[in-house]
Amino acid sequence: MMSEVFFIMANFISPEEIGVNPRAMLWLLPLAAAIAIVYKATKVKKITTRYFLKEVAVLFGSIVVCIVASAIVLYGLVWLNC
Amino acid sequence: MHRRTKENLVLFLFSVGLLGWLIPGAGYFLLKEKKRALIVFVTITLTFAIGIYVGSIGVIDYVRSWPWFIGQIMNSPMVIMLGKLTAGGSYRVYGKPAEIGQIYTAISGLLNLLCIVNAVYLAYVGEVETAEIKK
């Protein structure tokens, strides 16, 4: 039991291996989800599971779509300058 | 609910804000918004935990990366203790994991600031409405 606790704690004092590659961009998803959840938790008047999840899903989708659209525009600009 | 005096209202709003800073979501708990409090607590704590898991606790460093520390400190006073532990680069932190860790921990802090402000606002609005009903 103690060794498991130390193992978990050790994970917090050494960085994970994350390469500089397109897959690293997926780390934006949990953050976008956290932002959507907390923002909606402050905005929704009465929290019911179904309504809250729907609101969070819509905001999460909007954030991801906006980021993808921005990436496409920036990629296009770089491509035009090449 | 009894009507508070002006001094009591200020003290109440201050305690909602302070509690929300001590424990994410606790400000809402004081307002009896238990679902909201639980959602905020779990989400902010998890986001912060992911940040220090990915980048190591070295991402909290008020000496070498103080601009990030301003965001991180909004999570809880616990971050100050962690900062004292990790000040000056006692723990390994580098590259992409450091970047991701700093972003996660600072954003979770800013989200908590949003919740603190919102909880204080709700407390104020609740008090004003209660006072108007009593009139």
Side-chain angles (χ1 to χ4, degrees), chain A residues 11-20 24 27-28 30-31 34-35 37-39 41-42 44-47 52, chain B residues 28 35-36 39 43-44 47 49-50 52-57 91-92 94 96-97 100 103-104 107 111 115 118:
Chain A
N11 280 326
F12 285 90
I13 56 170
S14 60
E16 290 295 294
E17 290 297 326
I18 298 170
V20 183
W27 279 100
L28 76 88
L31 193 62
I35 291 169
I37 292 167
V38 173
Y39 182 75
T42 63
V44 172
K45 274 200 170 178
K46 189 164 167 52
I47 297 179
F52 182 70
Chain B
Y28 290 120
K35 275 187 193 171
R36 223 181 285 274
I39 291 167
T43 313
I44 288 176
T47 310
I50 291 173
I52 56 173
Y53 177 80
V54 170
S56 93
I57 56 170
Y91 290 89
R92 274 194 321 148
Y94 51 80
K96 195 80 176 167
I100 293 172
I103 291 169
Y104 268 72
I107 295 281
L111 287 173
C115 293
N118 185 249

Side-chain angles (χ1 to χ4, degrees), chain A residues 8 11 33 46 50 57-58:
Chain A
I8 291 168
N11 280 326
K46 189 164 167 52
R50 201 181 162 87
V58 170

